[in-house]
Amino acid sequence: MKFLKNISMTNQIMIGMVLGILAGLLIGPAIAPIKIFGDIFLRLIQMSVVVLVMGAVIEAVGSLDSREIGKLGIKITAWFMGSTLVAAALGIVLGYLIKPGTGINVQLESSAIESNTDSLYDIILNFFPANVMESMSSANMIQVIIFSLLFGFSISVLSTKTDLSALMGGIKQFNVVILNIVKVVMKMAPLGIFSLIAWVTGTIGLAVILPLAKFLLAMAIGTVIFMFLWIMLTATYVKVNPLMLAKKLWRMTVVAFTTTSSAITLPVKMEDSEKKLGISPRISRLVGPLGMALNSNGLALYLSLAAITLAQFYSIEFTVLDTIQMVVLSTLACLGTVVVPGGGLVALAIVIPSLGLPLESIALLAGIDWFSGMFRTVLNVDADALIAMILAHDEKEIDYAIFNSTTEVSSESN
């Protein structure tokens, strides 16, 4: 145990991932029961995510001057939508350059995924909760965030007339307790990641990757290109060393890559944003939860690349208008999508039929969804942190002493 204390949590997770791959390959399908430890870890994190998001957003918005909320909200929306559009466009470019759908010869089976038949009216209406308790129980993040924004805004407005310091103090203390629960659960991360990776490689195997290796290669290249551009843009904008910035993102990147879930990674992203990047809690606790539900760069890249790949499989040529529609659809489908593993297939079921491609073609990508989810989640998570850093710079709420510190103040040292 003393030996483990000398290894950072990030490295423990990396070791767990490598050992999980080896165990899965060596033991094979017989290792499947070990998944229970991974599922327990995911559930323990997920049980806190809804209240963590609610508390963080209420505290962040409630602490703002009511006159600042609109201006900051416009900035957040502009950065979210802009980055998602760029990611979707990058997916199309990579699809045409790498051509991952050519040469694929896989027998398609009927997909169990149903097409999303909701009208635009229904999609917009479903953003708003009829019963916040029901929204919380079903982990509908968009509805929870809408309620939290209104709750926080009401606190901000009423604070000018009424003393609500006791309420805000209680919310802040509640958030501290929830974050501490997450810290305790995160100590299980190496075992949880080991179990999940061992199950994936043992039951699914690496053979499923081979027919679609070019697709995963395109996802990997897209992830590297997008992150390089984002890191360079952010480092230039906020005037920091890009290499140090990349290093500060490493822990949340590893957790995102190994869990394939933005929700699971949220507590780590928020902690590292504050204690490694130097972003103020006010900005981090607003942008982090909002980004998890509304800023899915990795998913946008995946959706557009998947559409091009499947079109190439069927030898279908998209027109310029189709391509524009693909970018818009890939961007809109990211809004409020499921933030747990497997959510990419749900979003894909919205986009694919709209482009005239057969719904059952989604089955082709279902086998590698976990692996493509690794790259998707990295972009989703890291881009949120970088946007938060840009906004913190605009608001003059970056602590450069924390960013430049070589001694990281985080749960890794606990």
Side-chain angles (χ1 to χ4, degrees):
M1 294 298 292
K2 289 183 178 179
F3 172 71
L4 287 177
K5 288 183 178 180
N6 295 327
I7 304 176
S8 69
M9 179 60 68
T10 307
N11 289 334
Q12 287 183 39
I13 292 173
M14 288 292 290
I15 292 169
M17 182 178 69
V18 173
L19 292 178
I21 292 172
L22 294 174
L25 292 176
L26 290 172
I27 300 174
I31 204 170
I34 201 174
K35 183 174 180 279
I36 184 67
F37 297 107
D39 285 340
I40 289 172
F41 166 68
L42 294 181
R43 285 199 174 198
L44 288 174
I45 291 289
Q46 287 172 317
M47 75 175 182
S48 304
V49 166
V50 173
V51 287
L52 173 65
V53 168
M54 180 176 280
V57 173
I58 290 174
E59 179 184 345
V61 176
S63 301
L64 290 172
D65 186 306
S66 58
R67 292 168 295 183
E68 298 176 343
I69 294 174
K71 183 177 72 172
L72 189 57
I74 291 172
K75 284 184 179 181
I76 292 172
T77 303
W79 279 107
F80 282 178
M81 295 301 294
S83 63
T84 306
L85 283 168
V86 170
L90 177 60
I92 290 173
V93 171
L94 289 171
Y96 283 121
L97 288 177
I98 299 176
K99 301 184 186 304
T102 57
I104 296 177
N105 184 19
V106 178
Q107 185 69 33
L108 287 176
E109 297 178 0
S110 179
S111 174
I113 300 174
E114 297 180 359
S115 175
N116 189 301
T117 56
D118 286 349
S119 65
L120 181 61
Y121 174 90
D122 293 324
I123 291 172
I124 294 174
L125 184 63
N126 288 335
F127 272 48
F128 302 92
N131 183 331
V132 71
M133 295 301 177
E134 182 182 343
S135 303
M136 292 176 68
S137 66
S138 61
N140 188 318
M141 289 301 177
I142 284 288
Q143 294 184 1
V144 168
I145 286 173
I146 291 292
F147 174 83
S148 303
L149 287 171
L150 290 173
F151 196 108
F153 178 71
S154 297
I155 290 176
S156 176
V157 171
L158 291 174
S159 292
T160 60
K161 307 171 185 176
T162 309
D163 182 12
L164 297 178
S165 57
L167 175 61
M168 280 299 293
I171 292 171
K172 290 178 181 179
Q173 289 178 330
F174 176 80
N175 290 342
V176 169
V177 173
I178 294 298
L179 284 171
N180 193 66
I181 291 174
V182 173
K183 282 184 180 181
V184 172
V185 175
M186 278 302 296
K187 294 184 185 297
M188 283 183 59
L191 175 61
I193 298 304
F194 167 81
S195 304
L196 291 170
I197 297 296
W199 166 73
V200 169
T201 53
T203 57
I204 299 177
L206 298 181
V208 73
I209 296 178
L210 298 179
L212 291 165
K214 286 171 68 177
F215 180 83
L216 291 177
L217 175 64
M219 282 293 298
I221 292 173
T223 300
V224 171
I225 292 174
F226 195 82
M227 283 310 304
F228 174 79
L229 294 175
W230 254 121
I231 288 173
M232 293 306 298
L233 170 66
T234 306
T236 303
Y237 191 85
V238 305
K239 300 178 177 60
V240 296
N241 186 321
L243 293 177
M244 183 175 286
L245 177 56
K247 182 181 178 182
K248 299 279 184 175
L249 293 171
W250 182 241
R251 185 170 78 125
M252 70 177 79
T253 299
V254 170
V255 175
F257 188 79
T258 52
T259 63
T260 73
S261 171
S262 299
I264 304 299
T265 315
L266 177 63
V268 175
K269 176 177 67 177
M270 290 170 58
E271 181 182 38
D272 286 1
S273 293
E274 296 169 23
K275 297 185 178 180
K276 292 185 180 181
L277 300 180
I279 300 170
S280 71
R282 187 180 80 114
I283 298 296
S284 168
R285 296 176 189 184
L286 179 61
V287 177
L290 288 178
M292 181 190 65
L294 302 175
N295 185 45
S296 300
N297 298 165
L299 182 56
L301 187 150
Y302 167 79
L303 292 175
S304 58
L305 178 61
I308 295 293
T309 300
L310 295 174
Q312 289 169 351
F313 176 77
Y314 289 106
S315 300
I316 296 174
E317 293 289 337
F318 284 137
T319 64
V320 174
L321 188 61
D322 290 331
T323 305
I324 293 173
Q325 182 187 9
M326 194 188 313
V327 172
V328 174
L329 278 172
S330 297
T331 302
L332 294 178
C334 294
L335 297 177
T337 49
V338 183
V339 290
V340 294
L345 294 178
V346 177
L348 203 56
I350 299 172
V351 174
I352 292 304
S354 302
L355 294 171
L357 294 168
L359 184 65
E360 61 268 19
S361 62
I362 297 174
L364 183 64
L365 299 176
I368 60 164
D369 186 64
W370 178 280
F371 302 99
S372 58
M374 291 174 163
F375 300 111
R376 290 199 304 265
T377 312
V378 167
L379 290 189
N380 293 346
V381 169
D382 288 8
D384 291 347
L386 293 173
I387 288 175
M389 197 170 187
I390 289 171
L391 292 168
H393 174 267
D394 289 344
E395 300 294 314
K396 297 180 173 54
E397 293 188 32
I398 292 182
D399 189 330
Y400 285 95
I402 292 177
F403 180 86
N404 292 316
S405 173
T406 55
T407 304
E408 296 176 351
V409 182
S410 77
S411 62
E412 289 194 13
S413 58
N414 291 344

